[in-house]
Amino acid sequence: MRIPSVNEVKQCLAHLYPQYPLSYFTEPARRVTALIREKWQKGELKDLTEERLIDLAKQVFEAYERPSLQRVINATGVVIHTNLGRAPLAEKAIQEIVKVARFYSNLEFNLEEGKRGNRYVHVEELLKEITGAEGALVVNNNASAVLIALNTLAFGKEVIVSRGELVEIGGSFRVPDVMKWSGCILREVGTTNKTHLYDYERAINENTGLLLKVHKSNFAIIGFTKEVSSEELVALGKKYNLPVMEDLGSGCLIDLSKYGYSKEPTVKEVLAAGVDVVTFSGDKLLGGPQAGIILGKKEFIEKIRKNPLNRALRIDKLTLAGLEATLRLYRDETLAIEHIPTLKMILTPKEKLKKSCLKLVRQLKKIGLQGFTFKMIESSGKTGGGSLPLLDLPSFVVGVYSEKFSPQRLQEFLRKNNPPIITRIEEDFLVIDPRCLFPEDYPEILRAFQRFKNEFEGSS
Ligand SMILES: *Cc1c(COP(=O)(O)O)cnc(C)c1O
């Protein structure tokens, strides 16, 4: 068999995709010839017809053109999935990002006075309005928020933290490490399960710079436990004239206990308890873009703003546009719940999920896959992203069982779909959880199963 030259394949690609200049095809053409050579050596290709060449060229070029960072379908039921990009944004936030991306903006320009302004004003007043904070600042993410706050408030000094709160979040954020790189000295007190107020008090000395409380984002200690409340820590801070900081991690702006979930202190409540500096993420429960939000007493926020590290950790204009639009929705709780996807997904009633499942089961059965069972199963979802670790979201899911294919095999097939469909496995079932599905995801899921049938049962 004659293997076509790179130039011949280039011509073939140029014919298929006339919108590109010929020079664009050099690399994909090399990949096509390499694939043909490989297939020929393995004995998978005996004769290269014109039709087969076009087929392979298309296949290679489409893979070459597919962005590395791409949309996926989240069928895992985990709402704030760090691996899957955390929070999908509200429509309004997307629109504002597009506008600021396309045109120039007043990012650092004061339109009132016609002179240089600062980028933080775009969310500062809004954050104060919805949380009651005296001061507000935003940075790149919550890890930077914690880093810069520690560095500003307690550089070279001891920071007292409960041993039960020395958390690791997703591997790269560990409280002891962040402490070290911010130039502070970690002073851990108490035990894993119990820390008392007197543990903090006994550790205070002339080199103490800060009392820190960290939200146990992704785990819970239950049973014989004791943790010191924000109020108690604030009182202790007052007594010794020490600032108190709380890393809330996710940061609830809405009291979810009203909707039947367990009580988490809201940002407003933590600030009202008198905590001097509070930090949390923009892309966890808040449902906005990646950002770190720092709220608290004006004097501390001003100091943090002036820290030279702030220039290195500064928030980008697209993020600011998305964050401002998301925060505006929080001016009214019903507006937030209706328009912010993460909140909407967390609060989706079980009955609605049941309806989605029944419909999907019906449509999947219609495809007529041999040896497949599709059925609705009662299950539970997770908020994820280090928020509400104990909370199970009551759910219905679609279970897929095949006599011939393992759930792992099905999971892999769906993961390699375009767009990729990310699922979970429960016992022998591949599970499709409707909680985080968008309306446009359903036809893609059906198409993927149809493709499975075509590939493994022949296109009958
Ligand atoms: C998630 C989390 C962080 C890190 O926040 P990022 O926005 O991912 O940088 C820090 N602390 C706590 C307690 C968290 O839950």
Side-chain angles (χ1 to χ4, degrees):
M1 190 186 84
R2 194 185 73 87
I3 291 172
S5 71
V6 170
N7 262 330
E8 283 170 88
V9 179
K10 270 175 86 171
Q11 294 298 340
C12 170
L13 282 165
H15 211 77
L16 288 168
Y17 306 97
Q19 66 271 42
Y20 294 91
L22 186 67
S23 51
Y24 189 72
F25 299 115
T26 309
E27 177 57 27
R30 268 197 207 114
R31 293 187 194 186
V32 174
T33 51
L35 180 70
I36 291 170
R37 185 168 296 113
E38 189 193 318
K39 284 191 175 294
W40 171 69
Q41 279 164 351
K42 281 190 191 156
E44 290 169 14
L45 194 67
K46 302 242 155 37
D47 176 34
L48 187 67
T49 59
E50 173 90 22
E51 209 183 4
R52 190 84 173 101
L53 173 63
I54 289 173
D55 233 37
L56 289 168
K58 271 188 176 165
Q59 186 190 316
V60 169
F61 191 70
E62 268 152 39
Y64 182 73
E65 282 292 274
R66 197 181 305 164
S68 169
L69 180 59
Q70 56 187 307
R71 126 178 167 78
V72 307
I73 292 173
N74 178 6
T76 64
V78 180
V79 179
I80 304 155
H81 198 306
T82 295
N83 299 155
L84 303 185
R86 288 201 184 153
L89 298 182
E91 203 44 53
K92 193 74 188 125
I94 296 163
Q95 287 169 9
E96 294 305 319
I97 289 173
V98 169
K99 249 192 264 174
V100 166
R102 180 166 294 140
F103 303 108
Y104 290 98
S105 63
N106 62 336
L107 179 65
E108 291 188 350
F109 188 67
N110 183 327
L111 293 171
E112 209 55 56
E113 296 169 13
K115 57 183 191 196
R116 198 197 149 102
N118 92 55
R119 66 179 61 209
Y120 306 105
V121 300
H122 305 297
V123 288
E124 196 178 336
E125 290 309 313
L126 202 48
L127 279 166
K128 289 194 217 166
E129 178 189 331
I130 57 186
T131 64
E134 259 182 38
L137 181 68
V138 284
V139 289
N140 179 59
N141 59 5
N142 188 34
S144 359
V146 175
L147 179 80
I148 194 173
L150 288 174
N151 179 271
T152 311
L153 301 174
F155 183 78
K157 297 203 158 183
E158 289 184 9
V159 177
I160 306 180
V161 195
S162 159
R163 187 161 288 160
E165 295 173 0
L166 294 176
V167 302
E168 166 177 320
I169 289 125
S172 49
F173 181 95
R174 303 175 109 191
V175 172
D177 295 339
V178 175
M179 194 73 75
K180 182 172 143 203
W181 289 102
S182 63
C184 303
I185 301 151
L186 172 66
R187 184 72 196 268
E188 50 181 299
V189 296
T191 60
T192 307
N193 56 327
K194 279 201 173 200
T195 302
H196 303 270
L197 193 61
Y198 60 72
D199 291 319
Y200 288 90
E201 188 157 15
R202 282 178 194 161
I204 294 175
N205 62 60
E206 65 283 358
N207 199 31
T208 304
L210 180 74
L211 306 177
L212 174 68
K213 192 168 166 59
V214 183
H215 190 273
K216 292 194 274 294
S217 289
N218 43 14
F219 71 105
I221 297 176
I222 47 176
F224 189 58
T225 64
K226 161 84 183 144
E227 122 178 38
V228 173
S229 71
S230 310
E231 285 85 355
E232 291 172 287
L233 222 48
V234 166
L236 187 66
K238 285 228 170 76
K239 185 170 164 191
Y240 290 92
N241 198 23
L242 287 169
V244 175
M245 169 171 152
E246 188 157 344
D247 172 15
L248 277 177
S250 201
C252 277
L253 290 179
I254 282 175
D255 184 0
L256 292 173
S257 67
K258 275 194 264 180
Y259 304 92
Y261 296 108
S262 56
K263 175 74 190 165
E264 278 274 317
T266 63
V267 171
K268 204 171 186 166
E269 287 164 349
V270 174
L271 287 165
V275 173
D276 297 294
V277 174
V278 170
T279 69
F280 55 97
S281 287
D283 56 350
K284 290 187 180 169
L285 270 182
L286 193 141
Q290 179 191 303
I293 296 165
I294 311 174
L295 304 176
K297 303 270 160 66
K298 205 169 169 58
E299 56 162 313
F300 297 117
I301 300 297
E302 278 312 307
K303 263 188 164 169
I304 298 170
R305 187 203 305 272
K306 288 185 189 133
N307 186 328
L309 265 181
N310 190 23
R311 182 62 174 78
L313 306 176
R314 85 173 180 190
I315 190 163
D316 155 72
K317 66 176 178 180
L318 301 184
T319 309
L320 260 178
L323 186 61
E324 180 185 354
T326 308
L327 290 172
R328 279 177 184 278
L329 294 168
Y330 277 100
R331 283 178 156 164
D332 181 78
E333 189 169 317
T334 41
L335 214 59
I337 286 167
E338 196 180 320
H339 295 288
I340 297 175
T342 48
L343 293 177
K344 201 173 173 176
M345 286 167 181
I346 288 167
L347 297 174
T348 308
K350 210 176 160 189
E351 280 313 300
K352 189 156 177 229
L353 297 169
K354 187 175 183 174
K355 268 197 197 138
S356 308
C357 283
L358 289 172
K359 187 168 170 201
L360 186 57
V361 165
R362 211 164 47 237
Q363 291 170 322
L364 284 166
K365 278 183 177 164
K366 254 197 226 151
I367 295 172
L369 277 148
Q370 285 158 28
F372 271 70
T373 308
F374 298 102
K375 66 172 193 181
M376 186 168 77
I377 307 172
E378 203 157 358
S379 180
S380 64
K382 284 276 179 204
T383 58
S387 41
L388 318 175
L390 287 192
L391 183 65
D392 277 325
L393 304 170
S395 263
F396 285 104
V397 299
V398 173
V400 181
Y401 176 80
S402 159
E403 288 167 8
K404 218 170 131 195
F405 300 94
S406 69
Q408 287 77 13
R409 178 74 190 82
L410 297 175
Q411 189 176 44
E412 185 193 349
F413 182 87
L414 292 175
R415 194 176 68 239
K416 293 182 175 166
N417 188 61
N418 179 23
I421 301 166
I422 315 301
T423 56
R424 64 173 201 260
I425 292 173
E426 274 179 25
E427 289 164 30
D428 290 338
F429 283 90
L430 174 90
V431 162
I432 298 172
D433 192 318
R435 183 178 298 278
C436 310
L437 295 181
F438 290 85
E440 48 273 71
D441 292 341
Y442 289 91
E444 297 289 357
I445 293 171
L446 295 173
R447 242 193 303 278
F449 277 94
Q450 183 64 57
R451 195 168 63 80
F452 190 90
K453 182 177 166 70
N454 296 348
E455 254 172 58
F456 293 98
E457 294 176 17
S459 43
S460 53

